[in-house]
């Protein structure tokens, strides 16, 4: 009887150890390409806002997005560097227009999520149709970063904020901060600022 009892306990222990050793279904890892400088076309759905444009990452914390759609944002460029945000329209600097405030918050979440994960040696997450979905959490809510087979950014979602971003035409390049800063920028007066903001809100 004791032998049978001992055998049953042994088998239970073996099964338990085997179950613990089974990896999570769909869980995988791949190379990390999030630290790469890039430019890409981006489409954004943020609650009721639908927008399109071009986005660039020059390095950690240094990003730029220029909108082509909708009309209220077309031509508006937002530049992020060292926690500061500069808005410009056709080379004229002005304060961030009201219509771009939600996008500014969205971009800050994206930047934080990408830059935090870019520090990792490898990306770990759930494999879905060749894409890797990396989950995380920020002060603004939970997020999912989607990367392709090369570990490059493909999507960014924050369901609680009704935010979805898709990145296409990804081009990696050694873009430097100096190159971004070399673009001509014109200082404007208060009157010109008011005119620029009015134009973007039409």
């Amino acid at each position: 009887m004791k032998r049978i009892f001992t055998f049953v306990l042994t088998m239970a222990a073996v099964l338990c150890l085997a179950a613990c050793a089974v990896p999570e279904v769909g869980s995988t890892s791949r190379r990390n390409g999030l630290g790469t400088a890039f430019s890409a076309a981006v489409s954004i759905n943020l609650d009721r806002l639908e927008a399109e444009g071009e986005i660039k990452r020059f390095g950690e914390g240094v990003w730029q997005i220029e909108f082509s759609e909708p009309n209220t944002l077309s031509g508006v460029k937002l530049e992020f560097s060292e926690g500061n945000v500069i808005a410009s329209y056709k080379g004229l600097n002005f304060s961030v227009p009201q219509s771009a405030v939600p996008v500014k918050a969205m971009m800050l979440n994206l930047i934080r999520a990408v830059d935090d994960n870019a520090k990792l040696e490898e990306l770990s997450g759930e494999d879905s149709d060749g894409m890797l979905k990396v989950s995380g959490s920020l002060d603004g809510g939970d997020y999912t970063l989607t990367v392709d087979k090369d570990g490059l950014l493909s999507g960014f979602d924050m369901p609680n904020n009704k935010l979805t971003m898709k990145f296409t035409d990804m081009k990696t390049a050694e873009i430097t901060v100096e190159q971004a800063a070399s673009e001509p920028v014109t200082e404007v007066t208060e009157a010109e600022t008011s005119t620029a903001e009015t134009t973007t809100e039409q």
Side-chain angles (χ1 to χ4, degrees):
M1 187 70 179
K2 289 183 179 180
R3 288 182 179 179
I4 295 175
F5 184 73
T6 302
F7 176 77
V8 171
L9 283 179
T10 303
M11 290 301 295
V14 170
L15 289 174
C16 181
L17 290 173
C20 293
V22 175
E24 183 181 349
V25 176
S27 179
T28 186
S29 62
R30 67 183 58 178
R31 69 180 295 270
N32 190 346
L34 292 177
T36 307
F38 70 84
S39 64
V42 59
S43 60
I44 303 165
N45 285 286
L46 178 60
D47 199 0
R48 298 179 181 179
L49 171 68
E50 295 184 4
E52 294 183 2
E54 182 183 32
I55 190 168
K56 295 179 180 179
R57 181 187 190 270
F58 299 96
E60 184 175 354
V62 186
W63 293 63
Q64 173 184 294
I65 183 168
E66 184 169 2
F67 298 95
S68 56
E69 297 289 343
N71 290 336
T72 52
L73 289 174
S74 181
V76 172
K77 181 189 294 184
L78 299 180
E79 298 174 81
F80 300 80
S81 179
E82 298 178 354
N84 299 316
V85 184
I86 298 174
S88 61
Y89 177 74
K90 295 184 177 180
L92 304 178
N93 276 1
F94 59 96
S95 59
V96 178
Q98 189 65 32
S99 57
V101 170
V103 180
K104 171 187 171 183
M106 166 206 71
M107 281 296 299
L108 291 173
N109 282 324
L110 169 67
I111 291 170
R112 177 69 182 277
V114 171
D115 287 349
D116 283 354
N117 282 280
K119 299 172 183 177
L120 303 174
E121 289 188 12
E122 284 188 335
L123 296 173
S124 299
E126 181 181 348
D127 195 343
S128 176
D129 297 326
M131 295 291 187
L132 184 71
K133 295 186 178 296
V134 181
S135 299
S137 183
L138 299 169
D139 291 340
D142 295 336
Y143 68 83
T144 300
L145 278 174
T146 303
V147 299
D148 63 15
K149 59 183 179 60
D150 297 314
L152 299 174
L153 186 62
S154 178
F156 180 64
D157 299 277
M158 295 189 77
N160 291 343
N161 295 343
K162 300 179 181 179
L163 167 65
T164 300
M165 300 179 72
K166 299 296 182 186
F167 304 90
T168 56
D169 300 326
M170 178 69 68
K171 297 175 183 177
T172 58
E174 292 300 323
I175 309 172
T176 64
V177 178
E178 288 73 18
Q179 286 175 314
S182 66
E183 297 182 6
V185 176
T186 306
E187 295 296 331
V188 298
T189 63
E190 185 175 341
E192 289 173 319
T193 298
S194 177
T195 301
E197 290 181 345
T198 301
T199 301
T200 61
E201 291 174 357
Q202 289 178 347

